[in-house]
Amino acid sequence: MQYKSQAVAKPYFIAAIALFVGQILFGLIMGLQYIIGDFLFPLIPFNVARMVHTNLLIVWLLFGFMGAAYYLIPEESERELHSPKLAMLMFWVFLVAGALTVVGYLAVPYASLAKMTGNDLLETMGREFLEQPLPTKVGIVIVALVFLFNISMTVLRGRKTSISLVMLAGLWGLALFFLFSFINPSNLVKDKFYWWWVVHLWVEGVWELILGAMLAFVLIKVTGVDREVIEKWLYSIIAMSLITGIIGTGHHYFWIGAPAYWQWWGSVFSALEPIPFFMMTVFAFNMVNRRRRDHPNRAAVLWALGTGVMAFLGAGVWGFLHTLSPVNYYTHGTQITAAHGHMAFYGAYAMVVMTMISYTMPLMRGRQANSNKSQVVEMWSFWLMTVSMVFITLFLTAAGILQVWLQRVATAPLSFMATQDQLMIFYWLRLASGVIFLIGLGLYIFSFFVGGDQAENQSQAS
């Protein structure tokens, strides 16, 4: 590490991976509940398992983004972090608040939790991804503001680079758009507008700035390509992301009672959304092909290349498959949506956080890269997780196509539950793929404990 305060990132990354494991475990519980409807009922009802699964996804990615910022901002700014103590304080506040929220989901009926946490004072609960009680939402805002103060002061007092400024813009956007979660109008159409301004403008807006900055940072370090070249690519990618993503929000307005013109605006700009992800793929491979050095951390390079490919497939290709209004009329709310969501989140955001962890963890432990043995294990984890996610996506896509046919197109359409009975083979296959994914994640964690021989470790440290 160039700066001592970069070590603050380490507990954030450890917490992120631990929460990632929790997310996958609850995903497997849900996978079994799709097949065995009363599995773990009433201990963990399906709606509770789903809340925990999706909330852990958001929280572990936020921990990952914060850890990445605490590592790259000091290095880009060429100065120590403004306040490492403040960063550690917010780490524990965020971790404890997140843990208590999950315990609340599991221990108390959701309606009772709403009463206990003051939802009557300001009604914010009950919406997908935004189920958090009011005190948790307030806590998230406080943690985010303190975090942004910390890294903003670091940037303002140090060197300004394209990477640090794009990262900062993405993180400020993340915090600002989350404020819409406090607005919950009684009018359902308006409610959906505000809800999508959090969910969509996060994952298809400002999070793409964070993704681009993190990927650019790692590629500069592992390839040695001139910063000017990488920054030009970064600006092009984020420009296309914002141009297509902001107006592309309209593909969520098709069936909520919004004006008819959103059918066209949403379709056209959503159809353009794969472009920045394709640019990201070309960017990653182009930079690696033009590299001026062979970095010893081959696993980090693999994760960086995988991020570009899987983000394009999940967010780009699978998003395009059902984003046009005439197609979405039949596919919305089916397993096709779930297929897109799984691969997009994994490819675009989970993988870039794991890229950052793969690159930075060895440095925070005093070496350029992990041992060859460790990297072999890590690359096995990459392939197990990535291939299993591809199969999860394919099985859910097949289930979604059959669901559309049986439930919405057939001459004598089946009911929702009758249709679900016909999809069981795909749910079994999805579950098996999920188990393999968990094994891959276990290998990823194990790889950091695999050592090399003494001579190799001394060489890496030097």
Side-chain angles (χ1 to χ4, degrees):
M1 293 184 301
Q2 294 186 28
Y3 300 93
K4 185 178 179 181
S5 59
Q6 289 177 287
V8 168
K10 192 173 183 179
Y12 280 87
F13 287 148
I14 293 171
I17 294 299
L19 294 168
F20 190 15
V21 173
Q23 184 213 346
I24 302 306
L25 289 174
F26 276 91
L28 292 175
I29 289 172
M30 288 171 58
L32 269 172
Q33 290 177 336
Y34 264 91
I35 301 162
I36 306 169
D38 58 355
F39 178 69
L40 290 183
F41 185 84
L43 184 63
I44 305 178
F46 179 83
N47 68 306
V48 173
R50 190 173 189 276
M51 274 195 297
V52 175
H53 178 66
T54 55
N55 278 227
L56 285 177
L57 166 68
I58 295 168
V59 172
W60 89 257
L61 288 176
L62 292 179
F63 268 104
F65 293 162
M66 293 167 78
Y70 282 134
Y71 189 92
L72 73 84
I73 291 294
E75 195 159 318
E76 289 292 299
S77 301
E78 295 184 340
R79 70 181 307 274
E80 294 287 357
L81 184 67
H82 177 69
S83 176
K85 291 182 179 179
L86 203 55
M88 286 307 304
L89 175 62
M90 288 302 103
F91 167 78
W92 288 110
V93 170
F94 196 20
L95 188 64
V96 171
L100 290 175
T101 301
V102 171
V103 170
Y105 290 157
L106 295 171
V108 182
Y110 191 67
S112 301
L113 183 65
K115 291 181 180 179
M116 291 167 54
T117 55
N119 194 58
D120 293 339
L121 299 175
L122 181 62
E123 296 179 345
T124 68
M125 296 175 68
R127 292 176 290 177
E128 186 183 10
F129 297 114
L130 303 178
E131 298 96 345
Q132 305 85 22
L134 180 60
T136 303
K137 286 191 175 78
V138 173
I140 290 172
V141 171
I142 293 171
V143 169
L145 289 176
V146 174
F147 161 71
L148 288 167
F149 166 78
N150 209 350
I151 61 169
S152 297
M153 292 301 295
T154 307
V155 172
L156 289 172
R157 293 181 176 181
R159 181 182 69 154
K160 283 79 174 172
T161 69
S162 298
I163 290 175
S164 62
L165 294 176
V166 169
M167 185 75 173
L168 199 59
L171 291 167
W172 271 102
L174 185 157
L176 291 172
F177 283 118
F178 182 72
L179 296 178
F180 288 114
S181 68
F182 290 91
I183 304 174
N184 190 5
S186 57
N187 183 296
L188 188 59
V189 178
K190 291 181 179 179
D191 167 68
K192 287 297 181 185
F193 270 96
Y194 289 120
W195 184 75
W196 283 119
W197 290 352
V198 180
V199 177
H200 173 93
L201 291 175
W202 265 17
V203 300
E204 295 176 65
V206 291
W207 281 26
E208 291 184 29
L209 275 64
I210 299 168
L211 161 62
M214 290 168 64
L215 191 59
F217 175 80
V218 173
L219 287 172
I220 285 177
K221 300 301 179 182
V222 300
T223 65
V225 174
D226 288 342
R227 176 178 290 270
E228 291 78 9
V229 175
I230 288 180
E231 287 179 345
K232 288 176 183 177
W233 274 94
L234 177 60
Y235 280 130
S236 301
I237 289 168
I238 64 170
M240 284 303 301
S241 297
L242 294 176
I243 290 168
T244 60
I246 293 174
I247 303 179
T249 312
H251 66 239
H252 298 296
Y253 301 163
F254 290 161
W255 322 119
I256 67 169
Y261 57 76
W262 282 113
Q263 303 283 327
W264 280 100
W265 283 94
S267 295
V268 171
F269 279 86
S270 295
L272 299 175
E273 284 192 60
I275 294 175
F277 289 102
F278 179 71
M279 292 171 66
M280 203 170 294
T281 306
V282 175
F283 165 57
F285 277 87
N286 192 21
M287 294 306 103
V288 171
N289 287 335
R290 296 172 60 175
R291 64 185 180 270
R292 295 181 174 180
R293 61 172 178 263
D294 288 320
H295 197 277
N297 196 335
R298 294 172 290 119
V301 176
L302 180 62
W303 280 108
L305 293 174
T307 299
V309 174
M310 293 297 289
F312 171 62
L313 290 175
V317 175
W318 255 262
F320 177 77
L321 287 178
H322 66 136
T323 199
L324 299 178
S325 173
V327 177
N328 194 262
Y329 177 78
Y330 293 99
T331 62
H332 72 280
T334 67
Q335 294 298 329
I336 292 175
T337 305
H340 162 58
H342 278 77
M343 188 181 275
F345 266 108
Y346 173 71
Y349 302 116
M351 289 185 76
V352 78
V353 170
M354 298 177 88
T355 300
M356 196 74 184
I357 293 173
S358 182
Y359 171 73
T360 61
M361 270 299 193
L363 295 168
M364 289 188 283
R365 298 168 76 186
R367 49 184 178 266
Q368 269 198 305
N370 288 328
S371 68
N372 287 329
K373 290 180 181 178
S374 173
Q375 290 194 59
V376 168
V377 174
E378 185 178 347
M379 288 188 280
W380 266 101
S381 77
F382 168 89
W383 288 111
L384 281 175
M385 281 192 280
T386 302
V387 172
S388 62
M389 182 55 70
V390 169
F391 276 102
I392 288 171
T393 303
L394 291 174
F395 294 141
L396 287 174
T397 302
I401 293 170
L402 183 58
Q403 181 182 7
V404 168
W405 175 259
L406 294 176
Q407 192 177 328
R408 297 179 177 177
V409 177
T411 306
L414 300 179
S415 67
F416 174 82
M417 291 308 296
T419 302
Q420 295 302 303
D421 288 338
Q422 304 302 314
L423 307 181
M424 284 301 161
I425 181 62
F426 299 111
Y427 293 152
W428 277 112
L429 292 169
R430 187 259 305 267
L431 181 64
S433 300
V435 171
I436 296 172
F437 187 96
L438 180 62
I439 294 170
L441 180 54
L443 280 180
Y444 182 81
I445 297 169
F446 177 67
S447 71
F448 290 98
F449 299 95
V450 176
D453 56 46
Q454 187 174 0
E456 183 184 5
N457 287 335
Q458 289 175 349
S459 174
Q460 290 285 2
S462 63

